[in-house]
Amino acid sequence: MPKFFVKASNILENEIIIDDENVNHMKNVLRLQMGDEIIINDRQGHDYKCIINAIESSKIRACISSVADSSSEPSIEVTLFQSLIKGEKMEWVIQKAVEIGVTRIVPLCTSRCVVKIENPKKMASKVERWNKIAESAAKQSGRGMVPEVTPPMDFNEGLEFATEKGLFAVIPYEKEHEQGIRQILKNTSSHNFGLFIGPEGGFTEEEVQEAIRRKVHSVSLGSRILRSETASLVTLTNIMYEMGEMD
Ligand code: SAM
């Protein structure tokens, strides 16, 4: 059954109004008709089973037949603090992280980021594009919500955010030789994780020390150096696997 995401405000008591770019897709690509069954998701983890009951020029109305929590959502939450990396790689990480089950992506500006926020207007349009990529990956992978890509934060703001949200946070660091990711994940019962990944040039020693001071766990991902985008997806997958979300 085709699935679409709409704003929660478009969900009324008994019916849902679709009045965005989904209308064109439903009418002209999928060629849906009156009486067809569809799933509408409110972007917040709820799936509404509906029947199309009106097709207008720029609107589709669908009658709600049942509602349930989306079964495809992991029971844990993971916020990925991804240091800004070059163009396509950032987009690739967002797409794949959404497929794997990330809850939220925070683009992070760190001292060694090559990508800088010079023009706020340009950055705002990048964030908009990243959110579109997240939405399309969520649709494609059958997610029950659309993970948000927040505006960029600097490293300390990211740490503050993690503390405020009470995240069990890890910072993979290639110079960490004492503590591995598996070991740290085995010893937690947390359901709310944070994951800090450095840019192409890595984190500075000072950044890692500051993170540790704020109770973020420095971990190794093994003896090979992974590219930033590989490290993100490997760690995210490890968290999902260790927490039993890949069975
Ligand atoms: N500083 C290094 C350099 O420039 O050669 C590598 C940085 S690495 C490309 C980018 C990020 O991936 C790191 O900041 C870290 O978060 C993560 N990372 C990559 N390999 C890792 C490993 N073996 N253990 C822990 N973290 C790793």
Side-chain angles (χ1 to χ4, degrees), residues 80 82 169-185 194-199 203 217-239 242:
L80 169 61
Q82 171 65 54
V170 295
I171 183 164
Y173 184 42
E174 58 285 0
K175 292 188 188 147
E176 169 64 58
H177 300 298
E178 302 287 312
Q179 193 160 238
I181 180 75
R182 191 157 67 114
Q183 181 190 347
I184 202 84
L185 292 176
L195 165 56
F196 286 83
I197 296 290
F203 288 118
H217 304 272
S218 159
V219 292
S220 163
L221 300 176
S223 46
R224 292 153 303 280
I225 303 292
L226 309 179
R227 287 183 187 267
S228 179
E229 63 274 25
T230 317
S232 300
L233 301 182
V234 163
T235 316
L236 179 58
T237 306
N238 267 300
I239 295 174
E242 284 298 335

Side-chain angles (χ1 to χ4, degrees), residues 18-224:
I18 301 120
D19 59 1
D20 54 13
E21 65 273 8
N22 282 318
V23 174
N24 180 45
H25 188 63
M26 292 167 87
K27 277 170 58 170
N28 302 322
V29 181
L30 299 175
R31 302 204 173 275
L32 295 176
Q33 306 288 328
M34 298 264 286
D36 282 347
E37 277 197 313
I38 55 174
I39 306 261
I40 304 271
N41 182 285
D42 62 359
R43 295 168 172 264
Q44 292 161 12
H46 306 110
D47 282 339
Y48 293 77
K49 211 182 219 184
C50 304
I51 296 170
I52 296 178
N53 62 355
I55 301 181
E56 299 163 14
S57 60
S58 56
K59 246 186 220 166
I60 289 181
R61 293 172 190 273
C63 173
I64 300 172
S65 42
S66 62
V67 57
D69 286 347
S70 176
S71 56
S72 56
E73 277 312 294
S75 63
I76 60 166
E77 292 196 0
V78 185
T79 300
L80 169 61
F81 297 87
Q82 171 65 54
S83 296
L84 289 169
I85 49 176
K86 288 183 195 156
E88 278 180 14
K89 290 182 176 173
M90 191 74 187
E91 296 184 0
W92 192 79
V93 168
I94 292 167
Q95 185 190 60
K96 302 302 166 207
V98 170
E99 289 171 26
I100 297 168
V102 78
T103 311
R104 178 186 299 108
I105 297 164
V106 177
L108 209 58
C109 310
T110 66
S111 359
R112 293 195 186 141
C113 278
V114 180
V115 180
K116 302 276 180 214
I117 306 176
E118 275 146 11
N119 181 341
K121 221 169 157 190
K122 229 171 151 184
M123 188 43 82
S125 83
K126 258 192 188 171
V127 172
E128 202 182 316
R129 179 170 162 75
W130 291 336
N131 275 292
K132 286 220 166 90
I133 291 170
E135 172 156 350
S136 128
K139 238 184 198 173
Q140 178 273 322
S141 57
R143 290 287 304 265
M145 53 94 79
V146 180
E148 177 200 14
V149 184
T150 71
M153 296 183 194
D154 68 30
F155 187 66
N156 282 318
E157 282 173 329
L159 289 174
E160 196 61 49
F161 185 91
T163 308
E164 275 168 19
K165 292 245 174 225
L167 307 185
F168 180 89
V170 295
I171 183 164
Y173 184 42
E174 58 285 0
K175 292 188 188 147
E176 169 64 58
H177 300 298
E178 302 287 312
Q179 193 160 238
I181 180 75
R182 191 157 67 114
Q183 181 190 347
I184 202 84
L185 292 176
K186 280 214 178 308
N187 293 327
T188 178
S189 54
S190 178
H191 279 72
N192 211 344
F193 294 85
L195 165 56
F196 286 83
I197 296 290
E200 290 89 344
F203 288 118
T204 62
E205 177 69 32
E206 293 72 33
E207 283 169 335
V208 175
Q209 287 312 320
E210 180 57 16
I212 293 171
R213 198 183 68 74
R214 307 256 206 136
K215 309 263 182 291
V216 179
H217 304 272
S218 159
V219 292
S220 163
L221 300 176
S223 46
R224 292 153 303 280

